[in-house]
Amino acid sequence: MELARIFEEHRSRLRAVAYRMLGSLSEADDAVQETWLKLARTDAAEVANLGGWLTTVVGRVCLNMLRSRRPDLPLDAHVPDPVVSPEAGLSPEDEALLADAVGLALLVVLDTLNPAERLAFVLHDMFAVAFDEIALIVDRSPAATRQLASRARRRVQDATPAPDADLARQREVVDAFFAASRAGDFEALVAVLDPDVVLRADGGTARPAFTTIIRGGTAVAGQARLATRLAPFVKRALVNGTPGAVVAPRGEVVAIMSFVVRGGRIAEMHVLGDPERLRGLDLAAWID
C-alpha cells in the first residue's frame, strides 16, 4: 500500500508526460498503468531517484507505443484528444495535465515528429530530463539526443507561433465567429478569420467524410456557413485551457472545437468529430 501511495504522488506528472507523448487521453492512462505495473515488479528500495525512474519508464512505454502505431494511418487531419473544461476554470487534474499550456495546435505539430524526436523534445524541453537519461531510452549518444531535441524544437517553434495572450479577447473573437455562423454572414466570417487560416477536422473511421483539411479564409468561411444549422447547439467550453466549444444537438455531443487566435483573428481551428473518441471523454456537463 505504501508503494501505491508513493506512485499516486507521481501520477499527475506521469500522465502529463504521456499525454504530450501520445496526444491521447486513453493511451496516456494505459501508459501510466503500465508504468505502475513495472514499478510493482521492481524493488523500489533500490531506486535512488524514484521520480526520475518513473519518468524514464513512462517515456520508454510511450516511445514503444508510438513506434507500434500503424504507419499507414494519416496524421495530416488527425486531431489529438482535447481536454475539455467548463468556462469557470480548469479542475486541479486538468491544471496538472496542462501545466505548460499545451494546446491542440502544439500536439498536432508533435504528431509530425518521429518518435525519438518527440521523446527528446517532450522529456527535455517540457520536463527538464537530462540528455544523458534520454539517450538511454532512445539508444543514442547524449550528443545525438541533443540534436533530436534541437530539430524538434525548431519545427515546433516554426509551426506554432504564439497565440494572443488575452483569453478574454480570444473569447470575443470566437464568439464573433459563432455569431457570424448563426447569421450565415459570409463577410463577417471572413473578417474574423486569418486569410491563411487552417481548419483541421477529424471524423475518425466512423465518419471519414467529416475528415478534412481546409485552408484559407474564404474556404473556411464557406464551410462554416454550411454548418449554420448546428450553430444553436454550440456551447462554450475551455478546450486545452483556451476558448472553444462543444456542439451537442439533441443531447448528443457531435463535435469539439478548438481555436488558435493570433493578431485578433482565428488562425487555426481543430474539430474532433470522431464518435468513438468523443464517447471516451467526460462531456456530461454539456449534454442537456
Side-chain angles (χ1 to χ4, degrees), residues 62-69 115-116 137-138 140:
C62 291
L63 183 64
N64 291 337
M65 293 173 73
L66 286 176
R67 286 172 170 169
S68 68
R69 284 179 173 172
I137 305 175
V138 296
R140 304 194 187 196

Side-chain angles (χ1 to χ4, degrees), residues 235 253 281-288:
K235 302 180 180 183
V253 175
L281 303 176
D282 182 7
L283 301 172
W286 289 271
I287 299 175
D288 291 333

Side-chain angles (χ1 to χ4, degrees), residues 197-271:
V197 63
V198 177
L199 165 64
R200 180 177 285 100
D202 182 355
T205 57
R207 300 177 66 193
F210 184 87
T211 300
T212 188
I213 296 179
I214 302 175
R215 303 179 188 276
T218 300
V220 172
Q223 182 67 27
R225 194 166 60 171
L226 291 175
T228 298
R229 61 185 179 81
L230 291 176
F233 306 106
V234 170
K235 302 180 180 183
R236 287 175 159 197
L238 291 178
V239 180
N240 285 58
T242 59
V246 174
V247 185
R250 297 174 294 280
E252 177 187 6
V253 175
V254 297
I256 295 171
M257 304 181 68
S258 170
F259 301 83
V260 177
V261 178
R262 298 191 191 106
R265 290 184 170 187
I266 295 171
E268 296 181 44
M269 297 172 57
H270 303 96
V271 186

Side-chain angles (χ1 to χ4, degrees), residues 117-139:
E117 288 173 339
R118 188 165 185 166
L119 179 81
F121 176 78
V122 168
L123 289 190
H124 180 266
D125 285 43
M126 294 183 166
F127 294 94
V129 177
F131 285 121
D132 288 353
E133 298 176 43
I134 301 171
L136 297 175
I137 305 175
V138 296
D139 195 24

Side-chain angles (χ1 to χ4, degrees), residues 62-200:
C62 291
L63 183 64
N64 291 337
M65 293 173 73
L66 286 176
R67 286 172 170 169
S68 68
R69 284 179 173 172
R70 286 171 48 193
D72 59 322
L73 289 178
L75 286 176
D76 285 350
H78 174 70
V79 175
D81 284 357
V83 177
V84 187
S85 310
E87 279 203 307
L90 299 171
S91 68
E93 182 180 349
D94 288 347
E95 285 184 352
L97 192 62
L98 304 174
D100 52 1
V102 57
L104 289 189
L106 172 59
L107 291 174
V108 166
V109 177
L110 293 181
D111 272 343
T112 68
L113 305 177
N114 69 46
E117 288 173 339
R118 188 165 185 166
L119 179 81
F121 176 78
V122 168
L123 289 190
H124 180 266
D125 285 43
M126 294 183 166
F127 294 94
V129 177
F131 285 121
D132 288 353
E133 298 176 43
I134 301 171
L136 297 175
I137 305 175
V138 296
D139 195 24
R140 304 194 187 196
S141 69
T145 304
R146 186 185 297 274
Q147 286 300 313
L148 287 174
S150 179
R151 287 200 302 269
R153 189 179 307 116
R154 286 195 298 270
R155 290 175 65 180
V156 168
Q157 291 172 346
D158 289 345
T160 55
D164 292 351
D166 188 338
L167 288 183
R169 177 55 184 151
Q170 288 185 44
R171 172 51 73 187
E172 289 177 5
V173 173
V174 172
D175 285 348
F177 170 82
F178 284 119
S181 178
R182 282 192 298 272
D185 188 334
F186 182 79
E187 291 185 0
L189 283 166
V190 171
V192 80
L193 295 170
D194 186 280
D196 298 318
V197 63
V198 177
L199 165 64
R200 180 177 285 100

